[in-house]
């Protein structure tokens, strides 16, 4: 199964009664295994979690900390861009050149990379030499 098909499949499980905006995400770990996640909303809105966060959590829970490919799909008219927080989460486990495929359920796609989604990312180098 392709990474996009995995994201499309898990999107069906999304719990999005407040936004009615279902999102599915799939990441491929360095091992080749696919991990999926969907958005999970909450009546206390800020407690909701994004699809990308769920996929990353599944990957880490399985013992992997490196992702090599990402796919995200939603029922939007344009391929939905990951939110700022998810860009940082993806950057934690991927590389600048890691490919990200954004898609719509209608068949639209946009190919990008983690680096293009999050230029100037904060990383450990920014903490080097800091004085408490
Ligand atoms: N959402 C995601 O799951 N991923 C994204 O990349 C964008 C937004 C979810 C969060 C919320 O449940 C709904 O979409 C509307 O913002």
């Amino acid at each position: 199964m392709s990474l996009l098909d995995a994201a499309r499949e898990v999107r069906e499980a999304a719990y999005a009664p407040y936004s009615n905006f279902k999102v599915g995400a799939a990441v491929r770990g360095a091992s080749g295994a696919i991990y999926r996640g969907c958005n999970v909303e909450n009546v206390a809105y800020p407690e909701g979690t994004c699809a990308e966060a769920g996929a990353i959590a599944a990957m880490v829970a399985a013992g992997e900390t490196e992702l090599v490919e990402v796919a995200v799909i939603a029922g939007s008219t344009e391929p939905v861009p990951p939110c700022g927080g998810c860009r940082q989460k993806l950057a934690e486990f991927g590389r600048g050149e890691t490919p990200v495929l954004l898609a719509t359920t209608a068949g639209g796609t946009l190919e990008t990379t983690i680096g293009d989604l999050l230029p100037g990312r904060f990383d450990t180098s920014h903490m080097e030499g800091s004085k408490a």
Side-chain angles (χ1 to χ4, degrees):
M1 176 182 286
S2 76
L3 200 64
L4 182 55
D5 282 343
R8 184 181 289 112
E9 198 175 86
V10 72
R11 177 183 167 275
E12 300 297 331
Y15 177 74
Y18 305 106
S19 70
N20 285 314
F21 189 69
K22 293 186 168 195
V23 185
V27 300
R28 189 183 303 283
S31 72
I34 291 176
Y35 304 98
R36 306 143 188 245
C38 56
N39 53 332
V40 181
E41 297 185 347
N42 193 282
V43 64
Y45 292 178
E47 298 304 325
T49 51
C50 286
E52 295 90 328
I56 289 169
M59 180 187 77
V60 174
E64 292 206 58
T65 54
E66 190 185 342
L67 59 81
V68 297
E69 201 181 346
V70 182
V72 185
I73 187 167
S76 43
T77 49
E78 297 296 322
V80 69
C83 78
C86 284
R87 292 174 194 222
Q88 186 72 38
K89 289 182 178 75
L90 291 170
E92 180 75 18
F93 301 103
R95 304 163 71 94
E97 63 271 23
T98 300
V100 179
L101 177 61
L102 305 174
T104 71
T105 51
T109 58
L110 176 67
E111 291 177 47
T112 183
T113 64
I114 290 178
D116 282 349
L117 286 171
L118 191 64
R121 64 190 271 190
F122 174 75
D123 62 32
T124 53
S125 70
H126 297 105
M127 293 188 286
E128 283 164 14
S130 91
K131 298 175 181 65

